C-alpha cells in the first residue's frame, strides 16, 4: 500500500476555508460557534459557522464543498448513458427520481419523448414514487431524531427497508440503481412485483396514520417545530426554494402538476400545502406536515400505477423495455433545460450538445438542496441555537446533492 | 406568453437591437443579449406584469473550448404564476488577462447569490457587484477554475498528490 501523504501546517484550515467572522471583530457577548462538518445534525458534511449573541443566532454562514465530486467535469468526459450512475450519486436517497429527470432530458434532446411506451412510463413513475417515499422516510425519521425522538427513526427505517428490498428486487441495487435508461429501462419489473407492491401499499397505510399520531400530533414535536424558522413564500421564490419547503410556505407549486411530465397528467393526486395548523404558515412543522401528506399522495400514485400496470399495460412476453434504447446517442446541437419534481424540490439539468460528439459538452445540475440551503441565514436569524438544529432538519438536506 | 411574444415584448420596450440572437429550437427558447444590457432585460422581465419571471432556476457558465474565444453564461428563468420559461445567454469574450466580467443579477433574484459564486468558483467568471464573491465549493486557496476546458490540476495540494497516476508502476504499487 502506498502511504497517503499530507504536509501538516496549522494554517491549512484557515487558508482553505476561512471564516467570514473574525474573533477580533466580535462585540461583547458574541460568539462564533462552529457546527460540523462532522456533526450528526448537519445530515452529512456540512459546516456551519454560527455567529451568536449568547444563545440567539445572529448569522449562519454555510461552508460547502466537503463532498464535491466534480460531477459536472466528469459528465463532460462520459457518454450520455454513462452519466446516469453519476446522477444516482448526487441525491443518493432518491436516485430513481434523479435518473428519471436525466433520462427525460436526453430523450427530449433526441426527440423520442413521445415514443416511450406507456408501460415504461408507468414503471418509471412507480419506482420514482417508491423512492420518493423512501427519501421522505429518511427525512422524517432523522428529523425526529434531531429533535430528540428515537422511535420514529427506527419505525421509518423499518418501513423504508421494504421499499429498498422492492427496488433491489427490480434493479439489483439498494440505493444507486442505474435502472432508468435513456429510452427505456434496464429490465421489466420482476414477475410478481405488482402483487408484492400492492401488499406493501396495504401494509403502509395504517403505518402512516401511526406516524401522524407519533410525530405530527406529539406535543413535544409541535413545541419544538411550530413557529420556528418561518419562511415567507415571496422570499422563498426569490431564493429559488422549491419542493416541500416552498409548499410548506403555502404555495401549491408542484412540477408534477405544472409540467405533467411522464404520465403524471393522467394520474389523480393532490398537492398538500402548509396551512399553519399548529403555528404560522411556513414554519418547520408545516414543512414536515407537507412531507407526511406527500407520502399519502405517493401511495395514491403507486396504487394507480399498479392498477394500470396490471390492467391496461400489463405484462407481456414480447415487451422489451430496451427496444427504444439507442445504440449511439448523438443529439443535434442544442441547449436544453429539463426539470422535474424530486423529493427535495426542483432538480434541473442544463445540457448542451455540440451535435458532433456522443458526449455532452456541458452538463450543469441545478440541485434543489443547494438553493434550499441558501436561505438558511434568513430563516434562522433570531432563533435559538437549539432551534437552528430544527431548522436544518426541516430543510431536508442531502449533501451529495448540495456539493455534487 | 409564448417565446415569440416575450421576445417582441422585450424589443418593444427596450429596442429591437437588444436581442442579438434567438434560438427557438432550444428548450426553453433562448435569447442572446450583451453583458451591458443583461441587467436591463432581467429587470424588465422581472418587473413587468405580463412576463413576471419571479423564479431564477439556474445559472450555468459554459466554456466554448480552447479553439474559441468565448465564455457563455446561461440564465434559466421561470414564471410561477404564468407558467412560461425563458433562457437568456450572454457571450463573454476571453480577456487576455484576468477574468471575464458580467454584472450580477443577485439583487433581482437572490438565487443568483450562490449560483454566481459557483460559476465564479468553477468557471472563473467574475460577477461585478456581487456582495460576497468568494469560492463556494472548492477551498479558498485552490488555484484555477476546473470547469474550464483548458484547466490543469495542480500537482500537489497541501502536500497531497492531486493528479490521478495512471502509470503501470502506480497500479502495481496499489495492488501490492
Amino acid at each position: 500500500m502506498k502511504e497517503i501523504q499530507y504536509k501538516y501546517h496549522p494554517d491549512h484550515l484557515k487558508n482553505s476555508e476561512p471564516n467570514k467572522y473574525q474573533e477580533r471583530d466580535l462585540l461583547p457577548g458574541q460568539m462564533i460557534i462552529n457546527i460540523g462538518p462532522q456533526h450528526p445534525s448537519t445530515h452529512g458534511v456540512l459546516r456551519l459557522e454560527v455567529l451568536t449573541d449568547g444563545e440567539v443566532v445572529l448569522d449562519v454562514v454555510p461552508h460547502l464543498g466537503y463532498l464535491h465530486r466534480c460531477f459536472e467535469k466528469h459528465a463532460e468526459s462520459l457518454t450520455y448513458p454513462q452519466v446516469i450512475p453519476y446522477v444516482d450519486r448526487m441525491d443518493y436517497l432518491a436516485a430513481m427520481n434523479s435518473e428519471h429527470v436525466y433520462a427525460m432530458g436526453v430523450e427530449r434532446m433526441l426527440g423520442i419523448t413521445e415514443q416511450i411506451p406507456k408501460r415504461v412510463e408507468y414503471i418509471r413513475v412507480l419506482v420514482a414514487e417508491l423512492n420518493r417515499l423512501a427519501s421522505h422516510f429518511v427525512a422524517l425519521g432523522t428529523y425526529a431524531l434531531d429533535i430528540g425522538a428515537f422511535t420514529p427513526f427506527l419505525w421509518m427505517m423499518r418501513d423504508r427497508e421494504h421499499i429498498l428490498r422492492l427496488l433491489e428486487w427490480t434493479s439489483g441495487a439498494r440505493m444507486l440503481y442505474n435502472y432508468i435508461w435513456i429510452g427505456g429501462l434496464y429490465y421489466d419489473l420482476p414477475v410478481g412485483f405488482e402483487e408484492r407492491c400492492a401488499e406493501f401499499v396495504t401494509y403502509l397505510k395504517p403505518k402512516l396514520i401511526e406516524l401522524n399520531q407519533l410525530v405530527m400530533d406529539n406535543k413535544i414535536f409541535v413545541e419544538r417545530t411550530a413557529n420556528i424558522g418561518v419562511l415567507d413564500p415571496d422570499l422563498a421564490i426569490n431564493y429559488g426554494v422549491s419542493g416541500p419547503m416552498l409548499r410548506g410556505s403555502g404555495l401549491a407549486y408542484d412540477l408534477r402538476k405544472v409540467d405533467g411530465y411522464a404520465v403524471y397528467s393522467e394520474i389523480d393526486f393532490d398537492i398538500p400545502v402548509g396551512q399553519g395548523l399548529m403555528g404560522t404558515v411556513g414554519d418547520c412543522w408545516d414543512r414536515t406536515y407537507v412531507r407526511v401528506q406527500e407520502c399519502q399522495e405517493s401511495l395514491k400514485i403507486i396504487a394507480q400505477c399498479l392498477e394500470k400496470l396490471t390492467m391496461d399495460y400489463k405484462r407481456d412476453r414480447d415487451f422489451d423495455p430496451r427496444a427504444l434504447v439507442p445504440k449511439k446517442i448523438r443529439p443535434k446541437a442544442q441547449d436544453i433545460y429539463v426539470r422535474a419534481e424530486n423529493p427535495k424540490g426542483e432538480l434541473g439539468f442544463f445540457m448542451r450538445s455540440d451535435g458532433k460528439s456522443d458526449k455532452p459538452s456541458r452538463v450543469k445540475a441545478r440541485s434543489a438542496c443547494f438553493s434550499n440551503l441558501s436561505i438558511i441565514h434568513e430563516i434562522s436569524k433570531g432563533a435559538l441555537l437549539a432551534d437552528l438544529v430544527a431548522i436544518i432538519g426541516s430543510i431536508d438536506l442531502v449533501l451529495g446533492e448540495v456539493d455534487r | 406568453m409564448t417565446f415569440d411574444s416575450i421576445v417582441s415584448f422585450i424589443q418593444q420596450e427596450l429596442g429591437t437591437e437588444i436581442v442579438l440572437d434567438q434560438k427557438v429550437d432550444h428548450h426553453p427558447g433562448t435569447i442572446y443579449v450583451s453583458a451591458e444590457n443583461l441587467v436591463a432585460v432581467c429587470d424588465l422581465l422581472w418587473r413587468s406584469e405580463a412576463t413576471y419571471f419571479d423564479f431564477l432556476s439556474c445559472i450555468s457558465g459554459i466554456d466554448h473550448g480552447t479553439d474559441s474565444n468565448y465564455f457563455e453564461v446561461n440564465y434559466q428563468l421561470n414564471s410561477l404564476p404564468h407558467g412560461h420559461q425563458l433562457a437568456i445567454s450572454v457571450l463573454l469574450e476571453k480577456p487576455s488577462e484576468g477574468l471575464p466580467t458580467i454584472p450580477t443579477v443577485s439583487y433581482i433574484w437572490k438565487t443568483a447569490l450562490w449560483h454566481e459564486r459557483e460559476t465564479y468558483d468553477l468557471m472563473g467568471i467574475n460577477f461585478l457587484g456581487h456582495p460576497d464573491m468568494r469560492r463556494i465549493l472548492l477551498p479558498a486557496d485552490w488555484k484555477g477554475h476546473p470547469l474550464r476546458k483548458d484547466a490543469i490540476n495542480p500537482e500537489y495540494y497541501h502536500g497531497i498528490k492531486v493528479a490521478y497516476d495512471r502509470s503501470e508502476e502506480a497500479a502495481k504499487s496499489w495492488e501490492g
Side-chain angles (χ1 to χ4, degrees):
Chain A
M1 278 291 275
K2 219 176 189 176
E3 215 177 298
I4 294 171
Q5 291 174 344
Y6 175 73
K7 272 191 202 131
Y8 174 74
H9 192 278
D11 284 344
H12 274 168
L13 180 66
K14 229 182 281 172
N15 294 337
S16 61
E17 212 52 51
N19 272 11
K20 189 178 174 190
Y21 292 100
Q22 303 302 324
E23 228 171 294
R24 57 172 184 273
D25 304 331
L26 295 183
L27 299 172
Q30 290 188 346
M31 274 187 290
I32 301 168
I33 296 178
N34 185 68
I35 304 179
Q38 289 92 359
H39 190 284
S41 79
T42 56
H43 293 227
V45 280
L46 170 68
R47 183 178 148 218
L48 295 174
E49 178 194 340
V50 188
L51 179 74
T52 65
D53 183 1
E55 218 182 327
V56 180
V57 175
L58 296 180
D59 197 6
V60 182
V61 185
H63 292 270
L64 315 176
Y66 290 89
L67 201 57
H68 181 55
R69 292 159 298 179
C70 324
F71 163 74
E72 288 165 21
K73 191 73 179 174
H74 276 306
E76 286 173 13
S77 57
L78 298 167
T79 61
Y80 286 93
Q82 284 175 338
V83 177
I84 296 178
Y86 286 78
V87 173
D88 283 347
R89 281 150 183 80
M90 287 193 339
D91 182 355
Y92 42 80
L93 293 179
M96 284 289 189
N97 299 69
S98 314
E99 281 170 19
H100 192 185
V101 189
Y102 179 79
M104 279 197 310
V106 182
E107 280 158 14
R108 193 176 289 164
M109 285 171 110
L110 295 169
I112 56 170
T113 312
E114 302 301 318
Q115 302 161 29
I116 307 292
K118 280 281 181 199
R119 183 171 168 85
V120 168
E121 293 276 30
Y122 271 102
I123 293 175
R124 284 179 177 186
V125 170
L126 173 71
V127 291
E129 290 303 320
L130 280 171
N131 214 182
R132 187 186 306 273
L133 271 177
S135 168
H136 278 343
F137 282 177
V138 175
L140 296 167
T142 52
Y143 189 38
L145 196 64
D146 288 344
I147 302 290
F150 204 78
T151 317
F153 176 70
L154 297 176
W155 286 18
M156 301 279 67
M157 285 295 147
R158 174 198 65 195
D159 295 340
R160 176 171 175 260
E161 186 62 29
H162 293 289
I163 300 174
L164 292 191
R165 288 193 183 167
L166 281 173
L167 293 178
E168 184 184 4
W169 190 22
T170 318
S171 67
R174 282 168 59 84
M175 279 175 80
L176 310 162
Y177 309 105
N178 194 9
Y179 177 66
I180 298 176
W181 283 7
I182 296 157
L185 299 166
Y186 180 32
Y187 278 124
D188 200 346
L189 289 176
V191 177
F193 184 90
E194 292 90 337
E195 292 78 33
R196 291 291 292 277
C197 197
E199 279 171 28
F200 171 71
V201 173
T202 347
Y203 159 84
L204 199 67
K205 272 181 188 160
K207 301 288 179 206
L208 287 178
I209 299 170
E210 270 181 8
L211 172 72
N212 256 320
Q213 292 165 344
L214 182 73
V215 181
M216 300 314 291
D217 299 339
N218 185 312
K219 184 145 192 308
I220 305 172
F221 185 80
V222 173
E223 296 276 319
R224 283 298 305 274
T225 54
N227 294 321
I228 304 291
V230 179
L231 174 57
D232 181 64
D234 291 336
L235 192 70
I237 294 168
N238 203 239
Y239 267 92
V241 169
S242 50
M245 274 194 87
L246 184 59
R247 292 193 283 278
S249 295
L251 194 77
Y253 189 79
D254 190 323
L255 289 173
R256 288 177 289 177
K257 278 271 193 241
V258 174
D259 288 356
Y261 59 90
V263 285
Y264 281 112
S265 51
E266 299 169 15
I267 293 172
D268 171 45
F269 64 101
D270 299 322
I271 311 174
V273 290
Q275 296 150 8
L277 292 179
M278 294 292 167
T280 325
V281 178
D283 57 10
C284 291
W285 192 88
D286 268 358
R287 292 196 269 279
T288 319
Y289 168 79
V290 167
R291 288 196 186 99
V292 175
Q293 295 300 314
E294 270 185 20
C295 290
Q296 311 263 20
E297 299 303 322
S298 287
L299 271 188
K300 262 201 230 169
I301 299 174
I302 291 169
Q304 288 174 51
C305 286
L306 286 175
E307 198 190 313
K308 288 277 184 189
L309 286 172
T310 44
M311 308 285 288
D312 298 6
Y313 309 107
K314 61 169 173 281
R315 192 178 292 280
D316 183 358
R317 187 182 290 269
D318 301 326
F319 175 72
D320 179 11
R322 294 191 207 170
L324 262 177
V325 175
K327 293 275 179 303
K328 197 90 181 161
I329 299 181
R330 214 165 264 167
K332 61 182 196 310
Q334 61 187 311
D335 288 2
I336 184 174
Y337 179 73
V338 62
R339 57 179 190 175
E341 190 74 26
N342 250 33
K344 273 89 187 168
E346 174 181 339
L347 174 70
F349 286 103
F350 171 81
M351 290 191 263
R352 165 170 291 186
S353 75
D354 56 5
K356 290 173 287 200
S357 161
D358 57 349
K359 294 167 185 167
S361 72
R362 177 81 168 98
V363 177
K364 152 96 189 183
R366 182 259 192 234
S367 85
C369 295
F370 185 75
S371 293
N372 288 1
L373 177 64
S374 69
I375 204 163
I376 188 166
H377 67 279
E378 295 272 2
I379 57 176
S380 54
K381 236 169 235 168
L384 297 178
L385 194 59
D387 294 338
L388 180 62
V389 172
I391 292 170
I392 301 167
S394 75
I395 296 177
D396 184 18
L397 291 171
V398 165
L399 264 294
E401 207 193 356
V402 174
D403 292 346
R404 281 154 290 146
Chain B
M1 279 171 108
T2 58
F3 176 67
D4 291 331
S5 52
I6 295 172
V7 173
S8 53
F9 174 75
I10 296 170
Q11 287 174 332
Q12 187 191 323
E13 293 289 319
L14 297 171
T16 43
E17 69 283 353
I18 209 140
V19 178
L20 300 175
D21 195 4
Q22 36 180 305
K23 305 269 187 196
V24 193
D25 54 337
H26 290 183
H27 179 88
T30 309
I31 58 168
Y32 280 80
V33 298
S34 68
E36 301 87 65
N37 294 330
L38 173 71
V39 174
V41 172
C42 286
D43 200 57
L44 173 78
L45 291 174
W46 177 65
R47 218 172 277 285
S48 310
E49 249 174 62
T51 48
Y52 197 58
F53 283 102
D54 52 350
F55 195 94
L56 173 66
S57 297
C58 178
I59 297 177
S60 348
I62 303 149
D63 187 351
H64 278 217
T66 39
D67 50 350
S68 164
N69 205 23
Y70 288 104
F71 285 111
E72 188 175 334
V73 184
N74 182 285
Y75 299 79
Q76 296 289 339
L77 308 183
N78 177 19
S79 168
L80 303 197
H82 295 302
H84 49 228
Q85 285 176 274
L86 179 73
I88 301 177
S89 262
V90 181
L91 283 176
L92 301 171
E93 216 162 323
K94 288 183 183 171
S96 50
E97 59 181 59
L99 301 178
T101 53
I102 183 170
T104 178
V105 293
S106 60
Y107 52 87
I108 302 176
W109 301 285
K110 295 229 168 65
T111 326
L113 284 173
W114 278 23
H115 278 262
E116 286 179 351
R117 272 178 73 188
E118 187 192 325
T119 312
Y120 161 73
D121 188 359
L122 301 177
M123 194 60 87
I125 291 166
N126 201 3
F127 290 84
L128 289 179
H130 188 286
D132 187 22
M133 197 85 260
R134 293 179 291 140
R135 285 187 185 267
I136 186 164
L137 292 175
L138 302 181
D141 55 355
W142 189 266
K143 299 272 186 305
H145 302 280
L147 267 186
R148 289 188 174 186
K149 298 281 183 194
D150 57 353
I152 302 164
N153 281 338
E155 207 174 336
Y156 287 95
Y157 175 73
H158 289 186
I160 309 166
K161 194 152 198 268
V162 173
Y164 183 65
D165 196 352
R166 287 170 189 279
S167 68
E168 278 180 32
E169 252 176 82
K172 264 182 205 156
S173 75
W174 275 103
E175 280 160 17

